Amino acid sequence: MLRQIKPRNARSKRALEKKAPHVLENPKKTLFLRGTSCSQLVQLVITDLFSLKRPLAVKFTKKNPIHPFEDASSLEFFSEKNDASLLVFGAHSKKRPHSLTFVRTFDYKVLDMLELYLQPETLRTLSQFKGDKPAVGLKPLLLFAGTPFESPTPTGYTLLKSVFIDFFKGQDTNTVDVEGLQYIISIAAGEEVEGDTPPKVHLRGFLIKTKRSGQKLPRVEVEEMGPRMDFRIGRIKEAEDSVMKEALKRAKGLEAKSKKNIETDIVGDKMGRIHLGRQDLGKLQTRKMKGLKRSRDGNGTDGDDLALVDDEFGGFDSGEGEDATATKKPRRDS
């Protein structure tokens, strides 16, 4: 681990501030290394993964006497020196042939490790597939097929899924351009059978092509572009619970503040709840009818007003009823 020294000038101060923790961290860089003995097949796989990971990748060509599961101090040194949080180490031996070790670090310390054994008979590199290749710096679509990746308990397959999501994540973006969706990385595994050998992991790369369909939406087709490789899961080293909890902690400034009385339904519509005080129905504005007006003395409505209301709705007259109609004098003819 590098020594923490006090900066002597502005240049070294800027370099230390760049390496310090930030609210929005820079995208994860991957460092590719090789051991003292590394087969040609593993070197081809490292080259293909490096080309897919560019420009967020650094590749070393010198041999390094490193044994990740025995002593990871050299990996931690390279991680801090190159500001790389992901490392891919290739090696080959008689006991562990064609091995690739994926290492994730937190605070320049090893977080977890995953070892994969390449199956030589299935390897086909990017150069062996003719056709177009995706542009540099694009993020792929990831497809994980198989029940082992959905296991509720931590296994080598769940760790592999987490590691490859980090590996192909790239830079965080809020929007996605459809033109940038150019290729798919498919990672599949068969069903696990008790008492049988664990299933292989199949990694494939497909190019997305859009063609005319005569409609508004184009017809989408996929074409294999490489690489094509199969793995078997070897040794794994899981992260400690306390360290993983610290690594997953997010800054307070990134958490969205919850708004009261606002919720979103399953369709995506935003709904709000409004709280009103108790209403005074005595001040409620009604239809301005003469019959609903109060009298001047405040004891109710006048007799004339009642007669008008009853006459309007087909009722009786001012309250005298049939007797008032009988005593009325007949009209005299002129």
Side-chain angles (χ1 to χ4, degrees):
M1 184 176 179
L2 296 178
R3 292 184 303 159
Q4 296 294 333
I5 58 176
K6 186 177 181 180
R8 296 183 179 180
N9 50 38
R11 182 181 177 183
S12 59
K13 183 179 179 181
R14 288 194 300 268
L16 291 177
E17 289 177 352
K18 187 177 179 180
K19 293 175 63 176
H22 302 283
V23 176
L24 296 175
E25 293 288 348
N26 56 342
K28 295 182 178 180
K29 187 188 298 182
T30 305
L31 177 62
F32 294 88
L33 307 100
R34 53 174 296 187
T36 51
S37 60
C38 184
S39 64
Q40 184 66 25
L41 295 178
V42 174
Q43 295 183 41
L44 292 175
V45 172
I46 289 178
T47 303
D48 283 356
L49 293 178
F50 171 74
S51 63
L52 292 177
K53 186 64 179 174
R54 288 184 306 169
L56 301 174
V58 178
K59 182 182 176 183
F60 287 177
T61 56
K62 292 184 177 181
K63 300 179 180 181
N64 299 278
I66 300 175
H67 301 280
F69 287 89
E70 284 75 19
D71 183 14
S73 58
S74 299
L75 295 178
E76 294 173 352
F77 172 79
F78 286 129
S79 173
E80 184 171 3
K81 187 175 181 180
N82 296 274
D83 194 18
S85 57
L86 293 170
L87 299 97
V88 179
F89 180 78
H92 174 73
S93 64
K94 185 177 181 181
K95 186 177 181 181
R96 297 182 176 88
H98 312 294
S99 64
L100 278 173
T101 304
F102 290 80
V103 183
R104 289 193 295 184
T105 63
F106 172 69
D107 196 17
Y108 305 115
K109 297 292 183 181
V110 171
L111 180 66
D112 50 16
M113 290 190 290
L114 171 68
E115 189 178 49
L116 299 177
Y117 299 139
L118 175 67
Q119 305 299 302
E121 64 276 3
T122 62
L123 176 64
R124 288 192 64 185
T125 61
L126 281 168
S127 59
Q128 292 178 306
F129 288 90
K130 296 181 180 180
D132 299 332
K133 298 295 185 290
V136 176
L138 296 182
K139 299 173 64 174
L141 297 173
L142 292 179
L143 172 63
F144 291 92
T147 55
F149 299 116
E150 307 298 331
S151 175
T153 58
T155 61
Y157 295 95
T158 57
L159 179 59
L160 182 143
K161 180 180 179 180
S162 177
V163 168
F164 273 100
I165 288 176
D166 269 354
F167 183 81
F168 289 107
K169 183 180 179 181
Q171 193 166 0
D172 292 334
T173 56
N174 297 327
T175 57
V176 177
D177 189 359
V178 180
E179 295 295 331
L181 304 177
Q182 295 187 6
Y183 69 108
I184 303 173
I185 298 297
S186 172
I187 302 173
E191 298 288 339
E192 290 184 291
V193 180
E194 188 176 356
D196 200 355
T197 56
K200 296 180 182 179
V201 179
H202 311 280
L203 188 146
R204 304 288 185 269
F206 297 96
L207 194 68
I208 300 175
K209 291 188 175 182
T210 55
K211 298 183 178 181
R212 293 182 179 180
S213 62
Q215 300 177 358
K216 186 176 181 180
L217 296 177
R219 187 175 79 254
V220 179
E221 295 182 357
V222 293
E223 178 184 344
E224 190 171 4
M225 67 166 193
R228 180 196 298 176
M229 58 189 77
D230 293 348
F231 297 103
R232 286 196 180 276
I233 296 180
R235 295 175 293 177
I236 62 174
K237 178 185 177 183
E238 297 182 352
E240 299 179 2
D241 294 338
S242 59
V243 180
M244 179 60 74
K245 184 178 179 180
E246 187 70 20
L248 296 177
K249 188 181 295 184
R250 300 184 62 184
K252 294 182 179 179
L254 298 178
E255 297 178 357
K257 295 182 179 179
S258 59
K259 297 182 180 179
K260 291 185 178 180
N261 304 322
I262 295 179
E263 56 185 8
T264 305
D265 58 4
I266 56 176
V267 184
D269 298 333
K270 185 182 292 186
M271 298 184 298
R273 182 179 300 173
I274 300 176
H275 296 274
L276 299 176
R278 188 172 183 179
Q279 294 182 350
D280 187 3
L281 300 180
K283 298 180 181 180
L284 186 66
Q285 180 66 39
T286 58
R287 182 180 177 186
K288 295 181 179 180
M289 293 177 57
K290 191 175 182 180
L292 297 178
K293 291 184 178 179
R294 296 181 180 274
S295 61
R296 294 182 179 179
D297 55 1
N299 295 327
T301 57
D302 297 336
D304 297 339
D305 297 338
L306 284 174
L308 289 173
V309 175
D310 293 338
D311 186 64
E312 181 181 352
F313 291 98
F316 293 108
D317 206 356
S318 59
E320 298 178 3
E322 296 178 356
D323 296 337
T325 310
T327 58
K328 187 179 294 184
K329 293 181 180 181
R331 185 177 182 182
R332 183 178 296 178
D333 297 334
S334 55

